Amino acid sequence: MKTKIEDYLREIESYSANGADSLEQFRIRFLSKKGIIADLFDQFREVPGPQKKETGQLLNTLKNAVQTKIEQYREAFEQQVVTGDSNLDLSLPADFLEPGTRHPLSLIRSEIVKIFANIGFTVTEGPEIEDDWHNFSALNFPPEHPARDMQDTFFIESDPDIVLRTHTSSVQIRTMEKEKPPIRSIFPGRVFRNEAISARAHCIFHQVEGLYIDKNVSFTDLKQTLLYFSREMFGSNTQIRLRPSYFPFTEPSAEMDISCNICSGKGCNICKYTGWVEILGCGMVDPAVLENCHIDPQVYTGFAFGMGIERIAMLKYIVRDIRLYFENDLRFLRQFVAAS
Ligand code: PHE
């Protein structure tokens, strides 16, 4: 009996089904009421006592082998029905699933968030569809300001009060309306401008806004915060330079350059041989803006800044064309991996 079972085991081992019908015949032959397994269990009663244990185990192995074989083929045949592939070759190696990579803008955004989280900034997001109040009026934009022009702003056709936000500064207003100082937050998000698409500009891009409101916040705090950020982001030798500028919602206002991280300030075509590249706008929050949000400017002061994520990413990765970030060309995207 033992040799018989062993013969069957070998047969099962080498059995291959070429379709659901032959698998069914195989099942009937072994597992039906009058099949081989049932027959063997009948004969098992006659096996003398001393051999019972070994033969019994072998018989169970046989039964399991048949069941496993049938299960395997059933799954494969079901799969074939799903894929409609009748030439499925089960011996072929499976397709290699390539792991994805994070988008470079997402990597840079996380890095910025992490740098500011380390000095106590929380992260908040605001809506991409805004009203005039949050995007312009509360930020002190006079009615005739050019940024409100159709040329720069996407309006919702049916309602001139609704815009696609042109900057994340709108989230400053939303936050100050909701929260009492001290406020120490950054606001990352997508912004929209009615601009011609070129290597340097896109109609959709991303910004990170920063806002710090408390008692006795000064320009020195702004400067130190931005120096800390620049060195964390671009390396500890990075220098910063603040140039006076104008934004309706900050006073005084400045634009910040960093020493060119590509040529270390020696001069190259990225920094146009000046040694400096502009990375953000900033300033002290205008008292009129605080008042618009019911924060007393006699008690509180604060600073704000805003930077473009694409700009930081272009400098960090030395990418000269902003459009590459939006084309989803895998040959481009595969080159980026998380720094840590
Ligand atoms: N919102 C400005 C821009 O989009 C940047 C900015 C933010 C400037 C905060 C000053 C303070 O250009």
Side-chain angles (χ1 to χ4, degrees):
M1 183 165 176
K2 207 177 130 197
T3 37
K4 225 200 257 171
I5 298 177
E6 278 164 353
D7 285 347
Y8 283 132
L9 269 173
R10 268 190 294 276
E11 186 192 326
I12 292 160
E13 175 80 10
S14 60
Y15 170 77
S16 72
N18 53 15
D21 288 347
S22 88
L23 184 67
E24 180 60 6
Q25 274 163 23
F26 175 79
R27 189 192 66 80
I28 291 169
R29 182 159 166 254
F30 279 97
L31 292 181
S32 66
K33 273 198 189 127
K34 292 194 175 129
I36 291 167
I37 304 270
D39 188 38
L40 286 171
F41 270 101
D42 279 345
Q43 293 175 32
F44 179 64
R45 275 187 240 124
E46 259 90 85
V47 172
Q51 289 168 32
K52 262 203 159 41
K53 191 172 169 216
E54 198 193 354
T55 316
Q57 277 172 354
L58 211 55
L59 203 48
N60 277 328
T61 312
L62 180 70
K63 197 175 163 192
N64 286 337
V66 176
Q67 279 166 345
T68 314
K69 197 85 181 183
I70 291 173
E71 262 323 295
Q72 276 173 359
Y73 274 107
R74 275 223 176 109
E75 273 175 33
F77 290 149
E78 271 165 26
Q79 198 62 30
Q80 269 183 31
V81 172
V82 173
T83 60
D85 180 3
S86 55
N87 295 319
L88 190 70
D89 182 350
L90 291 171
S91 64
L92 282 176
D95 281 346
F96 176 64
L97 279 183
E98 277 194 70
T101 53
R102 282 181 65 193
H103 193 279
L105 295 179
S106 165
L107 291 174
I108 294 291
R109 177 190 148 130
S110 303
E111 208 171 325
I112 297 170
V113 166
K114 203 164 109 195
I115 291 170
F116 283 104
N118 282 345
I119 52 169
F121 281 73
T122 57
V123 186
T124 316
E125 288 183 30
E128 293 177 346
I129 300 173
E130 261 302 358
D131 50 31
D132 179 280
W133 171 255
H134 292 96
N135 196 77
F136 293 126
S137 296
L139 287 161
N140 226 14
F141 279 82
E144 72 287 359
H145 194 281
R148 288 170 176 254
D149 200 299
M150 297 280 283
Q151 305 265 288
D152 295 313
T153 306
F154 288 116
F155 290 87
I156 304 290
E157 211 170 10
S158 55
D159 186 350
D161 189 48
I162 307 296
V163 302
L164 295 182
R165 67 175 175 197
T166 58
H167 52 185
T168 43
S169 300
S170 53
V171 196
Q172 282 189 42
I173 303 300
R174 289 193 173 271
T175 307
M176 287 189 282
E177 283 174 339
K178 241 186 6 239
E179 290 172 29
K180 286 197 168 53
I183 296 168
R184 191 163 40 182
S185 292
I186 54 169
F187 320 121
R190 189 159 59 156
V191 302
F192 308 84
R193 281 183 205 175
N194 195 359
E195 277 189 76
I197 296 169
S198 70
R200 297 176 56 94
H202 210 285
C203 57
I204 299 176
F205 58 102
H206 300 79
Q207 291 188 326
V208 177
E209 190 90 4
L211 179 69
Y212 181 26
I213 310 281
D214 203 349
K215 289 175 179 154
N216 300 317
V217 177
S218 72
F219 202 90
T220 319
D221 299 315
L222 172 60
K223 213 171 142 182
Q224 279 307 312
T225 304
L226 295 179
L227 180 63
Y228 156 78
F229 165 74
S230 304
R231 293 192 165 165
E232 289 291 308
M233 193 74 198
F234 292 101
S236 55
N237 292 325
T238 307
Q239 303 292 314
I240 64 168
R241 172 171 94 167
L242 287 158
R243 284 178 289 102
S245 185
Y246 174 77
F247 300 102
F249 40 93
T250 46
E251 180 59 35
S253 303
E255 275 165 325
M256 190 185 87
D257 300 338
I258 55 163
S259 51
C260 181
N261 64 313
I262 290 149
C263 61
S264 317
K266 286 186 206 79
C268 65
N269 64 358
I270 297 275
C271 62
K272 300 200 198 80
Y273 300 94
T274 62
W276 298 93
V277 282
E278 184 193 320
I279 64 161
L280 56 82
C282 60
M284 301 305 291
V285 178
D286 194 301
V289 174
L290 293 175
E291 267 168 14
N292 285 339
C293 304
H294 310 293
I295 292 173
D296 186 352
Q298 303 296 331
V299 181
Y300 293 104
T301 52
F303 65 70
F305 56 85
M307 65 184 96
I309 300 184
E310 283 78 1
R311 175 120 189 100
I312 306 278
M314 285 168 87
L315 289 171
K316 189 116 176 161
Y317 296 133
I318 321 183
V319 169
R320 288 158 204 261
D321 192 328
I322 193 170
R323 290 170 292 197
L324 286 164
Y325 289 119
F326 301 99
E327 282 165 0
N328 285 336
D329 186 332
L330 288 179
R331 292 168 302 177
F332 174 71
L333 295 178
R334 280 197 185 117
Q335 299 175 62
F336 302 91
V337 277
S340 57

